[in-house]
Amino acid sequence: MRRADVECVFCAILAGRAAAHFVHRDEEVAAFLDRRPLFFGHVLVVPVAHLPSFFRVDSGTVLRLFTMARDLSEVMRTALGAEGAFVALNDTVSQSVPHVHVHVVPRRRGDGLRGFFWPRRRYESDEIAAEYATRLAEGLRQLIGKPDG
């Protein structure tokens, strides 16, 4: 069976065909507990519409997703006693469910989570860093002005 033939688990949750512990739901955005949390209280914020790639999400939905992520980050402090939050979104690579989702994870000093989950390194030179910055800036200039999604 091809991956495309399998129903999206988040769409099944949103349709009530799979169970989840919701913390929020409206017409456009939902938030529910991750089934395999990094720490208890780890929440996934998803658009109600099936959107497999972050690049295809319109600006209004991005605003709603990240406003909810911001609000949950604050609520984790008051409701769970967290000192902060880790907020992350994978797109395509390492995206276990092909439906855009933002992870909001409660954090405490000494919780064992160390920065990012992947190795970090320095640019070999300022010239190489400048080349990457230029390539990205040129790409943004080309993209700006195009309509959303």
Side-chain angles (χ1 to χ4, degrees):
M1 185 180 307
R2 296 176 312 148
R3 186 174 181 165
D5 294 333
V6 177
E7 181 181 28
C8 168
V9 67
F10 293 167
C11 289
I13 288 169
L14 294 165
R17 291 188 297 277
H21 295 280
F22 281 87
V23 298
H24 172 82
R25 174 144 188 190
D26 62 34
E27 310 80 42
E28 298 178 46
V29 173
F32 48 86
L33 294 180
D34 191 302
R35 289 184 186 174
R36 296 180 322 158
L38 288 170
F39 301 113
F40 292 160
H42 177 167
V43 174
L44 302 176
V45 181
V46 304
V48 171
H50 179 75
L51 299 167
S53 174
F54 187 55
F55 180 69
R56 299 291 178 220
V57 180
D58 66 87
S59 297
T61 302
V62 169
L63 178 61
R64 286 182 285 286
L65 285 171
F66 280 92
T67 297
M68 178 56 56
R70 181 205 57 204
D71 293 350
L72 282 166
S73 295
E74 179 60 24
V75 167
M76 287 177 178
R77 294 172 195 270
T78 58
L80 304 180
E83 296 173 56
F86 177 74
V87 178
L89 182 149
N90 283 314
D91 192 35
T92 309
V93 176
S94 295
Q95 187 180 12
S96 58
V97 177
H99 186 125
V100 170
H101 55 286
V102 180
H103 295 262
V104 185
V105 181
R107 296 292 315 275
R108 291 173 183 80
R109 294 189 198 293
D111 61 17
L113 194 61
R114 302 206 190 286
F116 292 101
F117 305 116
W118 49 85
R120 297 175 69 188
R121 56 187 173 190
R122 297 188 184 280
Y123 288 98
E124 293 175 16
S125 68
D126 282 340
E127 292 78 17
I128 291 173
E131 176 191 338
Y132 274 84
T134 299
R135 289 167 55 189
L136 290 167
E138 287 175 6
L140 279 173
R141 277 192 290 277
Q142 291 176 12
L143 181 65
I144 292 172
K146 290 185 178 181
D148 284 339

